[in-house]
Amino acid sequence: MKILVCIKQVPQKDAPLKLNDSATWIRDDVSWEVNEPDAYALEEALRQKEKHGGEVIVLTAGPARAQQVLREALAKGATGAIHLEDEKFVHLDSANTARAIAASIEGENFDLIVTGLQSDDYGAAQTGVLLAEILGIPHATIIIGIEKTDTGLHLKRELEAGHYQYIDLPTPAVLTIQSGINKLRYATLIGIKQAKTKPVRKVAWAEVEGRLSKNLQQIERLYIPHKQKQTRLIDGPPAEAAKKLVEYLRNDARVI
Amino acid sequence: MAFKFKGVDFIGFDRLLSDDERLSRDTARQFIEDNLIPIIEECNREGRFPRELVPQMGQLGFFGANLHGYGCAGMSNVEYGLVMQEFERGDSGVRSFVSVQSALVMYPIYTFGSAEQKDEWLPKLATGEKLGCFGLTEPDFGSNPGGMRTRAEKSGDEYILNGEKMWITSGTIADVAVIWAKVKEDGEETGDGLVRGFLVETGRPGFTAFDVHGKWSLRASVTSGLSLQDVRIPAKNLLPGTGGLKSPLMCLNQARYGISWGAIGAAMSCYDTALQYSLLRKQFRDEPIAGHQLVQEKLTWMISEITKAQLLALQVGRLKDEGRVGHEHISMAKRNNVWMALECARLARDILGGNGITDDYPVMRHMMNLESVKTYEGTHDIHTLIIGQSLTGIPAY
């Protein structure tokens, strides 16, 4: 199988975030890491390659710093990488990101495209789905199990409330992968050395710009939530007060 | 109860590192976080070396990581140093084990060994299938290894070894020991003989190893004494490239270099623990002790020294990668960084108050470990004299 894994570089989970000057996104001087669900997508792709052979190409869109996540993926065993390298890719909405990815992989004929079900920063959970739409191939989301069959793929999806769904898809297809479905491997030190020798294809902004539209989604303003503390005293006999409290927690605070 | 390590980087040190350097560090950090941190306090309490981690360490390439070929990763010295930092952030004893396997066993075989010795030992040592130890120090000769009493005597196509070695990391779990002994050349009647290295398989008759008990330091690694009574080894077990005390000292330089990074890891662990603790612990007016001037002074001292130590280790590493490092540079890095780490551990212990003495937190363990690290591989004072000699040209030992 020829598998494409789309991974994103996101701020480290416990990195202290600061707003940028225009308060439209965060400042760039944080530590970065691979988006967690994407790491599981990569792991799943590497396991499929080990079972069935083929290649695993990783793709990311972002400035030079995003190369880090490609290097890490190559060190773990990916066979090649595609880097859509420009700061401008960071500010695309999901639809345009999908368009850019689709444009950059024309003629590559992947059997399978996997990516995390959402990103830890924007969290839109749209890029994979939209990519499938643009490529005109089927997709399935929240995948927790992949089995290759003679006709395509047998998949397990996670639904709500502990329910699962089993479906079959023909290939090529796009799958968005749930976190935690496998155990992530470490990059070996030898793998880190070998990563240097693996091919990384760079795609410039100009090569895909013509395929993009205006961002339909735009961040107007980001702000740190204002901390406030309110105390409300509930009067009355305990039984009544408890009732009121439950009512409040359910209807106003909406925490139960 | 201990806090999750958050990393320490005050001046954007990471930006001085390449992608590969960061990735190597992060791989080691994750490995230690996932596999060592959950068990280290129990290992330390029980005096148990976590041998179960050895196969995975080998698979990830942590043994002999800066050697080339023979299944080794071929890392730069800076990458190797960063890996040592992460291991010692976990525990000095476990880092010591890796240092010995890499710098004191694989390095001498790699540097002084015959092609046959390299082919036989290096791939198995790299995977961790075989473990090694390094026998230089003796019960009566620590800082002055040149006084060693261990002797090798040529007898036909064999050498016969006799002597005692002490404070040998991994002695009782090793498959092979790199033993340093004085040997007289054929026909040499007078004199002490030349220090040379020998590969001694630990199963040979006359070779015994026993564990040092009652240690209050490096409890998660094995420390042993070795006894060699008429141990016969084939003449081909001589490491042919060795000749004189310079040979073991070259090995120690490798190990000392790794220690200079490792100590930063221990200091980072103590600092990070103290910082997080001070932000949570409330005292007087129900405010965190991090708001106290004397606590801030301690934290400031720690982060300043850690930052200086990082820069020192990095520059020594860069020099080593360029082939321009002097042993006095490595001495400075080892001496300074272990000292600062031990001071950090003591300050961190102060900040943690009574909680600092329990193994709910890693601080006291690091402190006790660092007492050994300050002493082994050239004591703090010996490194003072090495630097003094390089400055003045006058040996003052």
Side-chain angles (χ1 to χ4, degrees):
Chain A
M1 273 203 292
K2 187 176 174 185
I3 308 174
L4 177 72
V5 188
C6 302
I7 60 181
K8 184 175 188 180
Q9 190 188 39
V10 295
Q12 243 170 27
K13 262 186 242 48
D14 42 11
L17 303 179
K18 293 179 197 133
L19 298 184
N20 64 9
D21 291 340
S22 53
T24 50
W25 193 228
I26 56 161
R27 269 171 51 172
D28 222 15
D29 53 350
V30 292
S31 299
W32 301 86
E33 66 183 3
V34 176
N35 180 46
E36 192 182 43
D38 297 345
Y40 287 96
L42 171 67
E43 179 63 40
E44 198 52 39
L46 293 173
R47 288 176 186 218
Q48 293 297 327
K49 179 183 80 123
E50 281 156 8
K51 260 190 238 162
H52 306 295
E55 49 184 316
V56 170
I57 307 294
V58 284
L59 176 149
T60 198
R65 64 169 159 77
Q67 189 185 290
Q68 264 183 47
V69 298
L70 296 178
R71 283 294 271 277
E72 187 177 330
L74 292 170
K76 285 183 171 183
T79 45
I82 302 169
H83 187 179
L84 285 73
E85 186 177 349
D86 204 298
E87 173 66 27
K88 295 191 198 87
F89 287 114
V90 174
H91 306 288
L92 292 182
D93 63 16
S94 304
N96 273 324
T97 302
R99 287 185 188 108
I101 294 171
S104 71
I105 58 167
E106 256 172 24
E108 292 262 12
N109 298 317
F110 288 102
D111 300 305
L112 178 62
I113 298 175
V114 291
T115 187
L117 61 89
Q118 65 184 14
S119 61
D120 290 339
D121 53 1
Y122 286 101
Q126 293 301 304
T127 305
V129 178
L130 291 163
L131 178 61
E133 178 63 23
I134 292 162
L135 294 172
I137 59 176
H139 79 268
T141 56
I142 328 176
I143 297 300
I144 57 172
I146 302 175
E147 248 176 75
K148 192 175 179 295
T149 61
D150 294 340
T151 53
L153 302 166
H154 184 62
L155 304 166
K156 185 178 182 184
R157 293 185 66 218
E158 185 183 58
L159 305 181
E160 288 187 15
H163 291 284
Y164 301 117
Q165 181 188 34
Y166 292 90
I167 53 169
D168 287 284
L169 278 192
T171 53
V174 177
L175 306 178
T176 72
I177 306 292
Q178 172 68 298
S179 281
I181 72 165
N182 45 39
K183 188 167 183 297
L184 301 181
R185 70 190 64 197
Y186 303 102
T188 67
L189 298 191
I190 290 176
I192 293 171
K193 286 288 136 191
Q194 287 169 345
K196 273 187 196 154
T197 61
K198 293 180 178 175
V200 179
R201 175 162 69 85
K202 304 246 181 187
V203 178
W205 175 259
E207 290 175 63
V208 299
E209 191 182 3
R211 309 285 284 277
L212 307 179
S213 319
K214 192 170 175 295
N215 266 355
L216 291 178
Q217 191 183 322
Q218 212 171 320
I219 297 177
E220 295 285 339
R221 186 171 76 94
L222 283 181
Y223 62 96
I224 314 273
H226 205 67
K227 265 192 196 165
Q228 51 183 4
K229 198 169 163 184
Q230 278 181 331
T231 308
R232 197 173 134 188
L233 200 64
I234 301 173
D235 291 326
E240 258 175 57
K243 219 180 210 177
K244 276 186 196 163
L245 176 64
V246 168
E247 229 166 70
Y248 173 79
L249 291 175
R250 187 169 290 151
N251 300 330
D252 292 28
R254 294 186 183 179
V255 291
I256 57 171
Chain B
M1 191 59 211
F3 303 110
K4 187 176 175 345
F5 181 60
K6 288 190 169 169
V8 176
D9 184 3
F10 187 72
I11 55 164
F13 178 81
D14 278 12
R15 284 162 59 191
L16 296 172
L17 303 176
S18 70
D19 281 351
D20 277 9
E21 286 163 353
R22 273 195 302 268
L23 195 48
S24 310
R25 195 246 343 246
D26 292 349
T27 289
R29 180 169 294 181
Q30 199 61 47
F31 171 77
I32 291 296
E33 188 65 32
D34 295 344
N35 299 284
L36 183 61
I37 297 300
I39 60 168
I40 185 57
E41 300 304 346
E42 165 246 310
C43 288
N44 187 65
R45 202 181 273 197
E46 294 173 7
R48 181 179 82 81
F49 170 62
R51 189 163 185 167
E52 65 271 25
L53 301 183
V54 170
Q56 204 182 357
M57 288 184 198
Q59 190 210 336
L60 292 176
F62 292 132
F63 300 136
N66 58 347
L67 306 180
H68 296 261
Y70 305 100
C72 301
M75 306 246 95
S76 73
N77 285 291
V78 171
E79 289 160 345
Y80 171 73
L82 288 161
V83 168
M84 293 296 103
Q85 172 188 296
E86 293 309 315
F87 267 78
E88 196 148 354
R89 202 273 294 178
D91 186 74
S92 303
V94 176
R95 198 272 307 141
S96 298
F97 161 75
V98 179
S99 281
V100 167
Q101 180 86 351
S102 301
L104 298 182
V105 179
M106 295 176 72
Y107 171 81
I109 295 172
Y110 182 83
T111 307
F112 307 121
S114 65
E116 191 191 339
Q117 288 167 342
K118 292 185 209 181
D119 289 339
E120 183 185 348
W121 287 107
L122 290 177
K124 289 176 190 155
L125 290 162
T127 59
E129 181 192 336
K130 298 285 182 190
L131 302 182
C133 69
F134 178 87
L136 175 67
T137 298
E138 299 188 354
D140 293 332
F141 295 92
S143 292
N144 176 26
M148 72 172 66
R149 294 204 186 99
T150 303
R151 294 289 184 273
E153 197 187 323
K154 187 89 181 276
S155 166
D157 56 358
E158 288 182 325
Y159 282 99
I160 304 169
L161 274 71
N162 278 288
E164 302 286 328
K165 298 290 180 185
M166 194 57 189
W167 308 117
I168 309 305
T169 297
S170 303
T172 55
I173 55 172
D175 300 289
V176 63
V178 175
I179 295 292
W180 299 91
K182 286 186 180 168
V183 56
K184 285 185 190 167
E185 289 305 306
D186 287 341
E188 193 182 341
E189 293 294 326
T190 55
D192 227 10
L194 192 66
V195 173
R196 304 199 77 179
F198 299 86
L199 295 178
V200 181
E201 296 89 344
T202 53
R204 289 195 179 270
F207 183 99
T208 48
F210 54 92
D211 280 343
V212 174
H213 293 291
K215 286 187 296 172
W216 289 110
S217 182
L218 302 181
R219 291 179 53 76
S221 72
V222 173
T223 309
S224 317
L226 310 178
S227 169
L228 297 99
Q229 304 292 330
D230 290 328
V231 179
R232 291 175 173 270
I233 56 168
K236 67 178 175 56
N237 279 22
L238 167 73
L239 288 168
T242 56
L245 201 56
K246 186 172 186 294
S247 305
L249 293 182
M250 281 169 68
C251 302
L252 293 182
N253 249 339
Q254 300 298 311
R256 289 166 179 174
Y257 168 74
I259 292 166
S260 73
W261 280 98
I264 298 171
M268 283 177 167
S269 171
C270 293
Y271 163 79
D272 185 57
T273 302
L275 175 63
Q276 295 197 49
Y277 182 89
S278 68
L279 288 164
L280 282 180
R281 171 78 176 177
K282 289 178 178 171
Q283 210 66 185
F284 300 114
R285 297 172 296 281
D286 199 29
E287 283 166 6
I289 60 169
H292 297 172
Q293 292 184 356
L294 291 177
V295 171
Q296 290 192 0
E297 193 275 337
K298 290 180 178 70
L299 293 169
T300 302
W301 192 93
M302 286 192 249
I303 193 65
S304 303
E305 289 303 324
I306 289 170
T307 303
K308 284 145 70 179
Q310 284 179 296
L311 294 171
L312 176 56
L314 181 66
Q315 171 63 2
V316 171
R318 297 269 184 251
L319 286 174
K320 199 164 186 297
D321 280 330
E322 290 167 17
R324 289 164 54 175
V325 77
H327 66 274
E328 66 278 15
H329 302 139
I330 293 174
S331 282
M332 179 180 281
K334 193 271 182 187
R335 178 181 182 273
N336 179 79
N337 292 5
V338 177
W339 160 79
M340 82 79 201
L342 184 52
E343 292 302 311
C344 283
R346 289 173 177 159
L347 289 172
R349 218 288 306 148
D350 279 350
I351 292 175
L352 267 70
N355 285 317
I357 70 161
T358 70
D359 64 8
D360 286 346
Y361 299 94
V363 172
M364 194 82 175
R365 176 170 53 80
H366 282 306
M367 190 200 295
M368 296 197 298
N369 283 341
L370 287 162
E371 293 288 351
S372 292
V373 181
K374 193 182 180 195
T375 292
Y376 71 21
E377 306 281 345
T379 66
H380 185 81
D381 290 345
I382 287 292
H383 286 297
T384 308
L385 300 183
I386 291 172
I387 298 168
Q389 182 180 5
S390 98
L391 297 176
T392 63
I394 306 167
Y397 305 101

